[in-house]
Amino acid sequence: MDPLILRKVNAERRARRAAVHVTDLGDGRDRLVREGDAVIGPLGETIASAFRSGKSGVVEADGRSYFLNVHLPPARIVVIGAVHISQALAAIAKVAGFDLTIIDPRTAFATEERFAGVDLVADWPEDVLRARPLDAYCALVAVTHDPKIDDFPIRAALDSGCFYVGALGSRKTHARRIERLTAQGVNQEALARISAPIGLDIGAASPAEIAVAILAEIIQAFRRRDLRTGVAP
């Protein structure tokens, strides 16, 4: 790899941005394509597919062979609320290959006994997210039912372009949430990105089933995200 391209790849990695190193196997020429860059024609479609799948490999496009070396930041799930749903979600998210962090200032809920081996932070989201900011490769899951805890990270997730933003609650609860966030200046286009009630509609009832529905919706959002904006259509 050209040293200049290697430096660019490393810079993208540090910034948690996706990139594909494209090498023409016929003449050896290579270049770096960042997520969101415009690449026209069949090669562009193939690169877009690689960004969504995260898989590297040899591809054919425009009558030529290319090797695509895909560099995606590890996708993160940030859960607001150390509740029963979070316990189940932590277990299955690990199986699915997602990094997961749980944030909850309520120390009676956020305990090591309840979340052994989980990246658990018993502090207010405002303080945690200032030190560990959200980005386009994060999914935000708000499940406390408490506006004082949930509302700030939801707004931060929308501002940061998280690929998924979901919030627990009934339609009535969500309507009140929309009223609060609108009063804080969040526009309707951004508010429409919030998945609420949270999770795919599979008839989930128990905390474990709701966790499955949430993870399924996160995966769907990640694999179908708009590569220009980073968010699900």
Side-chain angles (χ1 to χ4, degrees):
M1 183 187 295
D2 183 288
L4 177 59
I5 290 181
L6 179 59
R7 286 197 294 272
K8 291 179 178 178
V9 168
N10 288 334
E12 297 303 300
R13 283 176 170 171
R14 287 192 296 271
R16 281 184 54 82
R17 293 189 296 259
V20 174
H21 178 214
V22 182
T23 302
D24 187 322
L25 296 179
D27 58 21
R29 290 186 298 178
D30 61 351
R31 57 174 165 154
L32 191 69
V33 177
R34 298 173 178 84
E35 187 166 338
D37 288 352
V39 180
I40 62 172
L43 179 59
E45 296 171 4
T46 302
I47 291 173
S49 178
F51 272 122
R52 291 193 179 91
S53 70
K55 294 180 179 178
S56 302
V58 177
V59 300
E60 301 291 329
D62 302 313
R64 302 184 70 86
S65 296
Y66 299 89
F67 183 77
L68 305 185
N69 194 1
V70 184
H71 302 273
L72 299 187
R76 295 170 52 209
I77 300 175
V78 178
V79 183
I80 309 301
V83 299
H84 291 307
I85 294 170
S86 311
Q87 289 177 303
L89 184 57
I92 61 175
K94 183 177 181 180
V95 173
F98 287 90
D99 293 336
L100 182 138
T101 298
I102 296 175
I103 303 169
D104 196 326
R106 303 170 301 180
T107 54
F109 292 86
T111 66
E112 289 294 333
E113 291 76 15
R114 298 181 70 229
F115 293 93
V118 176
D119 181 18
L120 177 68
V121 187
D123 205 345
W124 286 93
E126 294 93 319
D127 297 326
V128 180
L129 298 181
R130 190 177 299 116
R132 301 166 66 173
L134 300 168
D135 58 47
Y137 273 77
C138 291
L140 191 283
V141 175
V143 290
T144 73
H145 270 307
D146 186 340
K148 297 190 301 297
I149 302 174
D150 281 348
D151 282 3
F152 177 86
I154 290 173
R155 193 171 72 176
L158 295 173
D159 290 343
S160 302
C162 289
F163 72 85
Y164 175 85
V165 183
L168 189 68
S170 66
R171 287 178 173 80
K172 187 175 181 180
T173 297
H174 185 56
R176 292 195 293 268
R177 179 185 294 123
I178 292 296
E179 290 177 0
R180 293 192 304 272
L181 293 174
T182 299
Q184 295 172 30
V186 182
N187 64 51
Q188 294 303 306
E189 182 179 1
L191 292 172
R193 291 192 48 229
I194 303 172
S195 177
I198 197 169
L200 291 183
D201 185 6
I202 59 173
S206 69
E209 290 175 349
I210 295 169
V212 169
I214 293 170
L215 183 60
E217 192 169 45
I218 287 172
I219 293 170
Q220 180 185 73
F222 185 64
R223 297 305 179 191
R224 295 181 180 177
R225 69 195 187 282
D226 187 329
L227 297 179
R228 295 167 299 176
T229 64
V231 302

